[in-house]
Amino acid sequence: MKSLVTILGATGSIGESTLSVLAQHPERYGVFALTARRNAETLLAQCRRVRPRYAVMVEPEAASRLREAIRQEGLATEVLCGPQALEAVAKAPEVDQVMAAIVGAAGLAPTLAAAEAGKRVLLANKEALVVAGPLFMEGVRRGGGALLPIDSEHNALFQCMPPGYRAGAAPVGVRRLLLTGSGGPFRTRDPKTLGAVTPEEACAHPNWSMGQKISVDSATMMNKGLEFIEACLLFATPPAGIEVVIHPESVIHSLVAYEDGSVLAQLGQPDMRTPIAAGLAWPERIASGVGPLDLVAARSLTFEAPSFERFPCLALALAAAERSATAPAWLNAANEIAVAAFLERRIGYLAIPAIIDAVMAKADIGEATSLEAVLQADQAARRYAEGLLPKFAC
Ligand code: NAD
Ligand code: MG
């Protein structure tokens, strides 16, 4: 029996990489549904290639365009529209695996629906976990499915865990998790020039090719901060059990240090098809299309401690991890607003940490005991951050 997959966020960087891995194993996997926000052209091209049963567009006008194009071409794919449809194709009984690759907190509802329906959830959408944290992990437990981390660092940590390990459990015999990060495009740039950097410069990651939002997050190292919170949740580990290490070559994707002194690492080329293939087939191994790692060509692997002066977003995220409750939801929402405004050239690069800092200073942190509480925190933080934008306008 083929495993049927829904890809939430199919037109993005992770979505395309997932389709590339699936295309190499037509005997193993079929595509149930593909979803996107409004990029009807790319979704149409994907529908031609993989003939999914459903295609979902969040925006109604884009859905109409896609529906018309699909009708004209005589494809059998049914086009659905809106956030409810995202949830429907995430939890449909026919679906075995859901790739959660929507960017931002917008991915929370369908990803949670997949988890509660007991699907095997391949989690790339880190913001969903950061925002809803323990509630999301509880949804996975209740649903009885499996959670496979796709973020390369968390997939690396998962691969280095003791045999039989399941995400959400505290790993036995582990001393520390070492979370690596490249330091992004501004690791060595003169801090005095950071105020003038453009979205293009911030998105030019030295090692990885990714969507715009995560690329900016990598430049500020908020990405590593969100990943720190993500690691606390996925591996049931307190902040004190996780260390961030800068590793500019992006060859080691993270490490697990054991009580006996052993340190296990996962290495590979910086290509998301590797963790995607590992998640899809786990515990089996399948080809991903990624070539072998050439250690001699890599020559040397280097490491350094992160600078919180250079990367204030990392410090803000670690503080939110310590505060927990709804603090990560506040942090994430403020960051989403600030990064979107930076990409639209409404604010400068240094306004990103300044806005998040101002939001966190005013944040009304409450217990994250219900989805409503978490979503309220998310909305309040968005409003507050939006209100600050004129003050930081460039
Ligand atoms: P992307 O911007 O390339 O793609 C985002 C996808 O989400 C698109 O298909 C888009 O249509 C959809 N989308 C955007 N807003 C939406 C909304 N409001 N409602 C529904 N769908 C919406 O992003 P990406 O780089 O592929 O990243 C996706 C997720 O995976 C992010 O959470 C990111 O942090 C995580 N991730 C990405 C990488 C990477 O290499 N790209 C690595 C690790 C983790
Ligand atoms: Mg990552």
Side-chain angles (χ1 to χ4, degrees):
M1 273 280 277
K2 279 192 196 181
S3 174
L4 269 186
V5 183
T6 280
I7 306 179
L8 301 169
T11 55
S13 165
I14 293 287
E16 290 276 18
S17 294
T18 305
L19 284 169
S20 156
V21 175
L22 295 180
Q24 295 168 58
H25 305 279
E27 71 302 338
R28 261 184 101 114
Y29 304 105
V31 177
F32 180 77
L34 299 176
T35 85
R37 183 181 187 179
R38 60 176 162 222
N39 187 345
E41 291 66 34
T42 302
L43 203 58
L44 175 64
Q46 293 180 340
C47 287
R48 278 192 205 114
R49 262 169 30 221
V50 302
R51 310 287 168 114
R53 218 172 288 176
Y54 296 100
V56 181
M57 302 253 52
V58 176
E59 297 196 354
E61 186 271 331
S64 307
R65 273 190 291 131
L66 181 66
R67 196 172 287 120
E68 179 54 22
I70 282 196
R71 194 189 58 75
Q72 279 184 6
E73 296 197 16
L75 300 176
T77 300
E78 187 176 334
V79 178
L80 308 174
C81 176
Q84 296 302 325
L86 292 179
E87 288 186 43
V89 297
K91 66 184 185 195
E94 298 93 322
V95 173
D96 301 295
Q97 309 206 44
V98 174
M99 167 54 79
I102 290 174
V103 60
L108 173 58
T111 307
L112 187 58
E116 286 176 339
K119 305 303 180 194
R120 195 176 152 103
V121 176
L122 311 181
L123 187 74
N125 179 205
K126 65 192 82 185
E127 297 91 348
L129 188 60
V130 167
V131 169
L135 292 164
F136 184 85
M137 297 308 291
E138 179 53 31
V140 173
R141 264 189 296 277
R142 268 204 321 274
L147 185 58
L148 281 302
I150 298 300
D151 212 345
S152 58
E153 297 77 2
H154 307 75
N155 187 266
L157 293 169
F158 182 75
Q159 291 195 42
C160 296
M161 286 293 171
Y165 176 79
R166 287 175 71 87
V172 179
V174 168
R175 179 182 281 164
R176 222 164 160 64
L177 308 180
L178 302 170
L179 192 60
T180 56
S182 69
F186 303 143
R187 181 177 60 89
T188 55
R189 183 165 171 143
D190 179 355
K192 289 199 284 293
T193 66
L194 281 177
V197 304
T198 62
E200 289 73 21
E201 288 173 294
C203 287
H205 196 280
N207 306 334
W208 296 91
S209 158
M210 310 178 283
Q212 284 194 316
K213 192 262 179 183
I214 184 177
S215 295
V216 176
D217 285 349
S218 297
T220 63
M221 281 195 83
M222 176 56 89
N223 184 49
K224 211 49 54 187
L226 297 176
E227 291 182 355
F228 187 95
I229 298 170
E230 186 184 8
C232 291
L233 294 156
L234 285 172
F235 305 113
T237 299
I242 306 177
E243 184 181 338
V244 174
V245 180
I246 293 201
H247 166 46
E249 295 82 10
S250 297
V251 170
I252 295 178
H253 299 307
S254 279
L255 316 89
V256 175
Y258 282 87
E259 293 290 358
D260 64 4
S262 301
V263 181
L264 304 193
Q266 188 260 358
L267 287 69
Q269 292 192 30
D271 188 321
M272 289 305 292
R273 290 176 299 171
T274 295
I276 290 168
L280 278 166
W282 193 260
E284 293 173 31
R285 298 282 185 172
I286 56 172
S288 65
V290 178
L293 176 65
D294 184 345
L295 275 179
V296 175
R299 286 180 62 91
S300 68
L301 303 181
T302 61
F303 306 93
E304 57 194 65
S307 154
F308 292 121
E309 287 76 44
R310 181 179 287 275
F311 298 113
C313 284
L314 180 60
L316 287 163
L318 299 197
E322 284 289 350
R323 284 171 89 178
S324 66
T326 57
W330 279 84
L331 174 94
N332 177 71
N335 182 56
E336 285 195 29
I337 296 297
V339 171
F342 169 69
L343 285 169
E344 290 163 8
R345 299 174 206 274
R346 295 169 61 195
I347 60 169
Y349 179 77
L350 292 176
I352 299 173
I355 287 172
I356 301 166
D357 193 21
V359 170
M360 295 313 287
K362 280 270 190 270
D364 175 18
I365 312 288
E367 286 303 312
T369 43
S370 68
L371 205 53
E372 292 69 45
V374 165
L375 294 177
Q376 262 173 27
D378 173 86
Q379 291 303 315
R382 276 171 207 273
R383 276 195 305 276
Y384 192 60
E386 291 274 7
L388 290 172
L389 291 179
K391 194 171 144 201
F392 289 93
C394 58

